[in-house]
Amino acid sequence: WIFHHVLRTSTKYPWLMLYLRSDATFGFSGGYHYPTRGMSKIIPESPNFKVRFTLNVIRGGGPSSQFYLMDMGSCWKNNGNPCDGNVTSDVTRYNEMILNPETPSWCKPDSPKLCPPYHIFPNGTRIHRNDTTHFPYEAYHMYCAPGNGEHIEQPSVHCDPYSNPQPQEILQILPHPVWGDYGYPTRKGDGWIGDPRTWELDVGRLSHSLYFYQDPGTKPARRKWSSINLGTEIYKEPNQVAEWTVTDFDILVPKKK
């Protein structure tokens, strides 16, 4: 099978999204507060799952197309507990790898407010964003913190409170050598137009190492991803067209012993 996608913006509808998603068959949908009706009977949990698919990007959708090679959504409270439908304390968490090579890094050494507080390398080494010699700024597009976090490291930027019914936290990453150990693209342009590829991404191990906010002294949340998807979000740019195909979309979860 081949899923063939086309997304076209206009002056009337300049901000559109289109994804191929695998959501949970029950519970919350990708961190939202409403029940889901997806096809994932097993909810993948960090660090033990991979995602494999073949992607062919035909048209990219212009410079404002945030084409997500991988977009995953979950939900847990700032104290690490699972979400329960309380929209004041539940927090939707997203991680997205943006494939479009025209997407810049807004995470800067002289303005770290759009950087996560630290980066963790595959060997466990943790580098603070103030370490301008070793922190991989170009690996991040942006990070925004949940608006209900009481101990957010400053400087910070809160995520948009209007596009989600509850607080949200978003971490967007870009092709960079630091992600190569997980099977993710290491250079801008990898897998883009004219470079169709079959990807096997160690999404579980990557998502286990990424920074997400929690209140100090609380038990680490179980990172269970109720939505796994890929596709694009064309952000406020009319008269753009994105076109791509996806085949062999599999979420690989090891059998329980």
Side-chain angles (χ1 to χ4, degrees):
W1 51 261
I2 299 175
F3 280 100
H4 190 164
H5 307 77
V6 178
L7 181 65
R8 186 187 307 271
T9 58
S10 65
T11 53
K12 189 175 182 179
Y13 299 103
W15 186 358
L16 295 175
M17 312 170 196
L18 180 61
Y19 309 121
L20 176 64
R21 298 171 63 120
S22 180
D23 284 356
T25 56
F26 61 91
F28 299 128
S29 176
Y32 288 105
H33 68 295
Y34 49 75
T36 188
R37 295 185 299 275
M39 58 184 177
S40 292
K41 295 181 179 180
I42 301 172
I43 308 304
E45 182 175 353
S46 305
N48 298 314
F49 71 98
K50 296 182 179 181
V51 181
R52 183 173 58 208
F53 55 88
T54 299
L55 173 66
N56 180 18
V57 181
I58 302 165
R59 288 182 284 182
S64 296
S65 172
Q66 292 191 333
F67 198 102
Y68 301 138
L69 176 71
M70 181 50 49
D71 179 5
M72 47 189 172
S74 186
C75 188
W76 61 83
K77 297 179 185 293
N78 290 331
N79 62 7
N81 290 339
C83 291
D84 57 12
N86 184 331
V87 296
T88 61
S89 59
D90 289 354
V91 180
T92 303
R93 322 276 177 167
Y94 293 116
N95 170 245
E96 298 149 342
M97 161 61 78
I98 301 176
L99 199 59
N100 189 346
E102 295 187 75
T103 302
S105 172
W106 292 345
C107 168
K108 304 291 186 183
D110 58 351
S111 182
K113 63 183 180 181
L114 287 169
C115 304
Y118 54 81
H119 173 85
I120 301 177
F121 286 92
N123 64 3
T125 301
R126 181 179 295 191
I127 303 296
H128 193 270
R129 63 184 179 179
N130 289 341
D131 185 345
T132 57
T133 301
H134 300 104
F135 188 90
Y137 299 95
E138 293 294 323
Y140 293 93
H141 172 54
M142 60 82 70
Y143 166 77
C144 61
N148 62 348
E150 297 180 355
H151 304 277
I152 303 293
E153 182 173 316
Q154 300 302 321
S156 68
V157 173
H158 286 166
C159 293
D160 171 16
Y162 302 107
S163 61
N164 198 316
Q166 61 200 34
Q168 57 182 341
E169 181 177 25
I170 302 173
L171 180 62
Q172 295 182 329
I173 62 178
L174 299 171
H176 191 277
V178 296
W179 311 124
D181 194 60
Y182 308 103
Y184 279 65
T186 59
R187 299 177 303 171
K188 288 192 173 186
D190 285 354
W192 195 234
I193 299 169
D195 185 24
R197 296 192 183 191
T198 296
W199 299 93
E200 184 165 316
L201 307 176
D202 198 341
V203 181
R205 196 160 59 91
L206 171 72
S207 59
H208 186 68
S209 70
L210 294 174
Y211 173 84
F212 284 100
Y213 172 80
Q214 268 197 234
D215 292 333
T218 57
K219 183 179 179 180
R222 294 179 63 182
R223 299 183 176 185
K224 304 177 72 173
W225 302 96
S226 53
S227 180
I228 302 291
N229 61 87
L230 66 153
T232 195
E233 173 180 358
I234 300 178
Y235 182 71
K236 294 183 179 179
E237 186 164 351
N239 304 316
Q240 296 292 333
V241 179
E243 182 179 4
W244 68 98
T245 63
V246 180
T247 57
D248 305 317
F249 181 54
D250 297 307
I251 299 174
L252 310 175
V253 180
K255 290 184 178 180
K256 293 183 178 180
K257 296 181 179 180

